[in-house]
Amino acid sequence: MKHLKSLNWKGKMIEQTVDLEKEPEVQGLALLPMGCTSLFDPGWETDFSGTSLEGVCQPHYRDIYGCYGDCWWAAQVPDGLTNYGSWADECPVAANDWRKLKYVKP
Amino acid sequence: MVKQKLGSLIVIVGFLSIMSACVEQSPTGHSEKKTANVHVSKQVEKSCISCHAVDQEGKLERIESVRKSPEGWAQTIARMERIHGLKITDKEREQLVVDLSKERGLAPEEAEKVQYWLANKPSYLEANPPNESVVKSCIGCHAAGRFEAQRRTEEEWKNLKDFHLVMYPSIYLNHRHTDWPEEADKAIEYLAKNYGVESKVWDQWKGNEYDVSGKWKVVGFQGTKGFYLGESEFTKSNDGYTEKKSIKFLKGQGPQELSGNMKIYTGYMLRSHYMQGKKKINGSYNVTSENLIKGDWSYKEDLGITGEETYYKVQNEKPEIFHSEPRAWKKGTTNKVNLYGMNLKKLKTEDLELPKGVEVTKLTATSDEQIEAEIKVSKNSETDTFLVNGDKVAVHGKFTLYDKADYLKIEPSYGVSRMGDAGPMDKVSIQYVAYAYSNGKDGKSETKDDLKLGPVEAEWSLLTYPEKNAKRDDRPYIGKLDKNGLYTPKEEGVNKDRTFVQENVGSATVTAKSIIDGETLTTKSHHITTVPDYVNNIH
């Protein structure tokens, strides 16, 4: 990340907010409560710091199909690859219809 | 359309021909086994045997090589329906869970270790499994309780690896920081050795079942509200029990009435569904003896509203004490203690066998359920926990003798609250509780001999995270911490008042301040309000 430079003012603001050089404060799920993932790219419940949410996608539903289609956090977001192919059928545009997204029960 | 139907018919006829050929070619020994024994149950044979063959050892493939909790079996059956085309009715599904839990379930000793997972306790901090490969390959995604609530043969643990690679192929990518298949192989070695399907405790338990009919006394604890006492009655129904329960908080308004249905699985696991007014409450309990039931409950629509309960079977023979307020008695002083239980009017001072230096100076039974006692504890008595014994009395739980309250701790130490209620997703609140601790014999804090003295009332507040030089303050947006420690998050969706395009998520520091014996103690814990958890199961 140290080789990336922000081009516009939004990028500069994000750089100020997110300390990219910060060492991870949590190593592994043991320090995160049960049910949270420690796969931090960028992270579901928290970002790589393990304690805050600066680096995660916001609002969360903007990128939820990135998690869903790729089966990225299968214990937190339904996976569209094998298990829940029709989960998002009623919600073609998550940015507009996210209120229709439901729980799944495995 | 006609062509499609004709095509389907040809496929079905072809499939049936192949199936019948397979049956004819099967060794006769297999078909003899199948007719001679029932594999798990008639319902399991009816629903499962068309896919799960009987193997050379006479076992139903896969099914008879694993053992699981009712929740585990329910998830497996749901997956069979979702992915493998199993068609069953609600009644058949329930029968399958009952039968599989009975024949291929967990022993009480095995289930007790994962009760936190079965009860889906929010913000529960699991201990790391003592195997690095298990840590690397499993718990980055889900809780250790998920696999620790299963028992499998070595082959079945190996199958679980293949299952992950097929079901969740992105595991290669999202675990690219490690060699997942290699780590999984090492994890399997550990799991096969420590979570094998054969176990003495299961052999001893299998086939037993408790009858919980009758009247019980209840002691419970709900964070932010405190301890409560209650009465309950279980009545047998067609498929389990019905329960009527009345509870009253020690510090609170009049009794609250609950009623519900419950089923018993594996002979000792009770799963309850209560109504309290319009609120739905789910309970997960284990019968641990003829006279004792322990478990947890939570609101169906807010997992963060939760409590723990213990039931004691009503008896008329001798005094029984099951709760004490407080349970920790200070040395060098006379402690005013309220003891709760049953048949307490029969209790005499000499019935209680207490440690050296501990003396009951006054014992006044205000009813059969409550005693007001004065207990003098010498300064020279031993700082420690102890059990109260006595032939003429039953006393449950440990008591503590301590010098002073030295520090506080907040539970949960890391609170994960989740936004909800804007759509179908439920919010998850957090009940923060402050506990007082004593340094114990060594006089040092955070050591093994420290004594947990019990929950204390506290003054609650939220600070920024980090406390100093925070780049932004999330507190106005993420939710509210009330005066009792109950944290309630806000709903999902972009909050236009925030910088960037953000929802009501963020971090904060929770602080508790309590004055104990004139000394002010404070402590902190970490808090996040985060996104919903769309996979609504126990992790």
Side-chain angles (χ1 to χ4, degrees), chain B residues 223-238:
Chain B
T224 72
K225 289 190 173 180
F227 286 99
Y228 59 86
L229 301 170
E231 296 188 352
S232 162
E233 184 164 10
F234 292 83
T235 311
K236 274 195 173 173
S237 64
N238 289 337

Side-chain angles (χ1 to χ4, degrees), chain A residues 46-71:
Chain A
T46 71
D47 61 18
F48 67 93
S49 70
T51 50
S52 55
L53 292 96
E54 276 96 353
V56 298
C57 292
Q58 270 289 297
H60 77 283
Y61 45 80
R62 282 272 179 186
D63 193 39
I64 198 164
Y65 291 167
C67 320
Y68 164 66
D70 297 346
C71 175

